[in-house]
């Protein structure tokens, strides 16, 4: 096991972290299935109003662009085809009136003896299951599921880091037999990318899990095991790639041939190939002080978020903000009738009433708070920069955020910004989080990047990445 870390970052310890248990959520009465989920383009609907559908049936597919099939997550009847309002524009979706039957139809060709399957058969199963749409680049196969082909992957990094304020519990995901399933999932991925170096990165504080995984993977000589400090944003793809491959402070050019997949994705790979299970459900961690109890739920994709909040949210406070995935980078969900999709792995409930609350970011910048209650980082007026250096200390890629902020705000746009490394920003928002003057530093850095494009200093492809997560939830900034 190799121990590694990175410069900067921040260790969170907030109240409301999920317990290490997973419960089954009730089937929704109505499922809303977006035809764009995860990595790739929106697919075309294969069903019409009034059609009977089965859970696991492909209801959306497009073999021409980069995409993965979309499935019905419940048994029932198509009620309508609708458009969902999102930050990325209008997205088509299929609304299904569900019956009470929890069964789903398996994928053709799956095999518990997966070692007997050919590489082509495995790739077909992964594509047909929809699992290839997960994570920031998708899973490369012979189908059009990623911007790179599987033969072009130099490194495959399996991410088992829990570094954000709130994360699904790795111990809960890999409990019991699921740990063996995870190891099998890693082996399946290695079979479709045999030329890639495979790296497994797990948090150093998961000592028991580290020992168990180290024992189970001992015979896998092609696998390198890493123990990493759980400091945010270690789980960011570019930061993790830099930590593992040593490319920090470069332009991350080597990352173009690197695929980073989460532990949850690896489990979905196993389920698709071994059990023939399409991607029809997801495990969601209920985080923050707003829930009756903090645990994980297994919910069908397409379940309206207000169904989940109606069952599990603490109703004594009607002012909760619901934030999907990483609350450091996501805004609150404005419309709770929107559905859960493939990329949702946590829902954080924090108070939207910030009156008379002290600044979480101010206090956290100068002390190590244990189990502090979380609230939005917007209380208090913006003040002038005092050059405290907190933003420099936490920046994971060695930038001087307050310098970039000053140039962007004063419209001092030149090649100097590129030389100062503005394109290396990974948008973790730590600089804004720790700023005692409440300056939205990260937002100004993003503005500076856009101005470089507007003024013709760079092309859009040169350093800015297309958003591939939280891409259809719109709301206020957290």
């Amino acid at each position: 096991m190799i121990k590694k870390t990175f410069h900067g970052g921040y260790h969170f310890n907030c109240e409301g972290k999920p317990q290490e248990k997973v419960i089954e959520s009730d089937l929704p009465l109505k499922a809303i299935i977006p035809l764009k989920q995860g990595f790739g383009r929106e697919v075309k609907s294969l069903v019409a109003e009034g059609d009977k559908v089965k859970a696991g049936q492909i209801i959306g597919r497009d073999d021409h662009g980069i995409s993965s099939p979309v499935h019905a997550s419940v048994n029932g009847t198509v009620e309508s085809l609708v458009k969902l309002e999102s930050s990325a524009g209008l997205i088509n979706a299929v609304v299904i009136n569900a019956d009470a039957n929890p069964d789903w139809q398996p994928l053709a060709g799956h095999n518990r003896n997966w070692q007997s399957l050919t590489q082509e058969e495995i790739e077909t199963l992964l594509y047909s299951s929809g699992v290839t749409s997960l994570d920031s680049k998708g899973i490369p196969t012979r189908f059009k599921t990623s911007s790179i082909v599987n033969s072009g992957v130099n490194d495959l990094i399996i991410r088992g880091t829990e570094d954000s304020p709130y994360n699904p519990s790795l111990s809960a995901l890999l409990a019991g037999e699921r740990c063996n399933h995870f190891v099998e999932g890693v082996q399946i991925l290695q079979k479709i990318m045999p030329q890639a170096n495979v790296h497994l990165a797990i948090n150093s504080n998961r000592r028991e899990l580290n020992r168990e995984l180290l024992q189970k993977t001992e015979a896998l000589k092609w696998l390198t095991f890493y123990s990493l400090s759980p400091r945010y944003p270690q789980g960011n793809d570019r930061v993790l790639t830099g930590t593992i491959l040593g490319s920090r402070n470069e332009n991350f050019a080597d990352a173009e041939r690197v695929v980073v997949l989460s532990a949850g994705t690896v489990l979905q790979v196993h389920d698709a190939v071994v059990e023939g299970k399409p991607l029809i459900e997801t495990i969601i961690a209920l985080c923050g002080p707003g829930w009756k109890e903090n645990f994980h739920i297994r919910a069908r994709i397409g379940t309206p978020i207000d169904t989940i909040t109606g069952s599990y949210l603490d109703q004594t406070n009607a002012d909760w903000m619901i934030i999907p995935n990483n609350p450091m980078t996501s805004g609150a969900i404005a419309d709770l009738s929107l559905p859960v999709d493939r990329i949702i792995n946590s829902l954080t409930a924090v108070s939207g009433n910030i009156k008379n609350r002290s600044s979480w970011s101010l206090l956290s910048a100068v002390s190590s708070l244990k189990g502090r209650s979380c609230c939005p980082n917007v209380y208090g007026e913006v003040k002038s920069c005092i050059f405290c250096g907190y933003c420099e200390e936490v920046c994971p890629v060695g930038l001087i955020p307050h310098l970039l902020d000053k140039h962007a705000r004063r419209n001092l746009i030149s090649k100097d910004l590129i030389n100062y490394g503005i394109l290396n920003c990974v948008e973790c928002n730590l600089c804004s989080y720790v700023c005692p003057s409440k300056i939205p530093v990260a937002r100004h850095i993003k503005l500076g990047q856009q101005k470089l494009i507007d003024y013709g200093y760079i092309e859009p492809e040169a350093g800015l990445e297309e958003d591939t997560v939280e891409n259809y939830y719109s709301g206020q900034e957290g």
Side-chain angles (χ1 to χ4, degrees):
M1 185 184 295
I2 301 172
K3 293 185 178 181
K4 285 199 172 188
T5 188
F6 68 102
H7 168 82
Y10 190 89
H11 179 75
F12 291 97
N13 193 357
C14 306
E15 69 171 359
K17 291 191 175 182
Q19 304 169 41
E20 295 179 0
K21 69 177 182 179
V22 181
I23 68 169
E24 298 289 335
S25 181
D26 293 336
L27 288 175
L29 298 177
K30 181 177 293 186
I32 307 169
I33 313 296
L35 293 177
K36 173 175 170 47
Q37 298 186 53
F39 183 83
R41 299 178 182 176
E42 182 176 315
V43 297
K44 299 175 182 177
S45 173
L46 303 180
V47 294
E49 184 177 330
D51 287 354
K52 296 284 187 181
V53 293
K54 295 182 178 180
Q57 174 184 334
I58 293 177
I59 60 172
R61 180 169 177 163
D62 184 355
D63 294 331
H64 300 292
I66 296 177
S67 63
S68 298
V70 170
H71 305 76
S73 63
V74 293
N75 298 290
T77 306
V78 175
E79 176 187 286
S80 61
L81 275 66
V82 300
K83 292 185 180 293
L84 301 179
E85 188 68 47
S86 74
S87 58
L90 291 176
I91 295 176
N92 290 301
V94 178
V95 180
I96 302 172
N97 287 324
D99 59 32
N101 181 4
D103 295 338
W104 46 269
Q105 61 180 27
L107 301 168
H110 74 281
N111 194 331
R112 292 192 175 275
N113 181 26
W114 62 267
Q115 294 88 346
S116 64
L117 297 175
T118 66
Q119 181 175 337
E120 181 178 358
E121 288 171 330
I122 292 175
E123 290 178 26
T124 300
L125 281 166
L126 294 178
Y127 174 70
S128 300
S129 70
V131 173
T132 47
S133 65
L134 296 177
D135 290 308
S136 62
K137 292 182 180 177
I139 299 178
T141 65
R142 66 192 63 230
F143 301 92
K144 296 177 182 178
T145 54
S146 178
S147 54
I148 57 177
V149 295
N150 52 354
S151 60
V153 178
N154 287 344
D155 294 272
L156 170 63
I157 300 176
I158 307 300
R159 182 181 67 239
T161 54
E162 300 163 287
D163 59 305
S164 301
Y166 295 109
N167 314 265
S169 166
L170 197 59
S171 293
L173 294 179
L174 303 186
E177 191 62 24
R178 293 300 274 170
C179 192
N180 291 326
H181 295 173
F182 173 77
V183 174
E184 279 193 274
V186 174
Q187 293 174 285
I188 291 169
L189 288 165
Q190 193 272 339
K191 186 166 183 177
I192 67 170
M193 291 176 268
Q195 79 292 338
N197 302 306
V198 184
H199 314 269
L200 175 58
I202 304 292
N203 275 359
S204 57
N205 59 352
R206 292 290 185 186
R207 293 184 178 88
E208 239 180 77
L209 182 59
N210 273 308
R211 283 194 293 268
E212 184 177 3
L213 285 173
L214 196 60
Q215 181 180 16
K216 292 180 183 298
T217 59
E218 189 175 4
L220 307 180
K221 303 304 180 183
W222 41 264
L223 178 71
T224 307
F225 203 119
Y226 298 84
S227 175
L228 304 183
S229 172
R231 293 203 316 277
Y232 178 77
Q234 181 64 91
N236 177 281
D237 284 4
R238 293 170 69 185
V239 176
L240 184 59
T241 298
T243 301
I244 298 297
L245 303 180
S247 59
R248 179 180 170 269
N249 270 347
E250 298 175 6
N251 286 324
F252 301 94
D254 57 343
E256 294 303 316
R257 299 175 70 85
V258 177
V259 171
V260 181
L261 300 176
S262 70
T265 296
V266 175
L267 289 172
Q268 296 280 12
V269 165
H270 167 274
D271 292 350
V273 175
V274 178
E275 299 177 4
K277 189 169 188 176
L279 187 47
I280 61 172
E281 63 183 19
T282 184
I283 292 178
I284 303 170
L286 303 183
C287 309
W291 303 100
K292 297 175 185 175
E293 189 178 355
N294 297 112
F295 45 57
H296 302 75
I297 62 170
R298 192 187 311 274
R300 293 291 176 102
I301 289 169
T303 300
I305 293 173
D306 55 15
T307 300
I308 296 173
T309 57
S311 298
Y312 304 108
L313 198 65
D314 180 3
Q315 302 297 336
T316 60
N317 184 346
D319 198 35
W320 298 116
M321 287 171 30
I322 308 298
I323 304 172
N325 296 348
N326 180 8
M328 289 292 291
T329 58
S330 299
I333 300 172
D335 181 3
L336 294 181
S337 67
L338 286 170
V340 166
D341 79 340
R342 294 171 175 176
I343 63 173
I344 291 289
N345 58 41
S346 69
L347 291 172
T348 299
V350 295
S351 177
N353 180 10
I354 59 174
K355 191 175 182 180
N356 297 325
R357 283 182 178 266
S358 60
S359 164
W360 188 33
S361 66
L362 171 60
L363 294 174
S364 61
V366 296
S367 63
S368 177
L369 298 172
K370 302 300 182 182
R372 182 167 177 81
S373 178
C374 304
C375 65
N377 180 24
V378 291
Y379 182 69
E381 63 182 10
V382 176
K383 300 179 177 65
S384 298
C385 176
I386 60 173
F387 302 100
C388 61
Y390 291 150
C391 59
E392 291 182 61
E393 291 178 16
V394 299
C395 181
V397 290
L399 303 180
I400 307 177
H402 63 82
L403 179 64
L404 302 176
D405 170 85
K406 182 181 74 172
H407 277 69
R409 280 191 293 121
R410 297 183 181 180
N411 209 33
L412 302 175
I413 308 301
S414 68
K415 288 186 178 179
D416 287 342
L417 276 176
I418 301 176
N419 296 333
Y420 295 151
I422 193 171
L423 299 182
N424 286 348
C425 175
V426 295
E427 301 181 26
C428 66
N429 288 329
L430 269 180
C431 51
S432 297
Y433 173 77
V434 301
C435 180
S437 295
K438 310 300 266 180
I439 300 170
V441 182
R443 189 190 308 161
H444 294 158
I445 291 175
K446 186 73 173 178
L447 178 64
Q449 293 175 332
Q450 185 58 50
K451 286 183 177 180
L452 285 171
I453 295 174
D454 295 341
Y455 294 178
Y457 286 102
I458 59 172
E459 296 294 328
E461 307 79 59
L464 305 182
E465 298 180 352
E466 180 184 358
D467 291 334
T468 56
V469 294
E470 292 97 24
N471 58 349
Y472 77 91
Y473 295 97
S474 57
Q476 66 187 88
E477 187 172 346

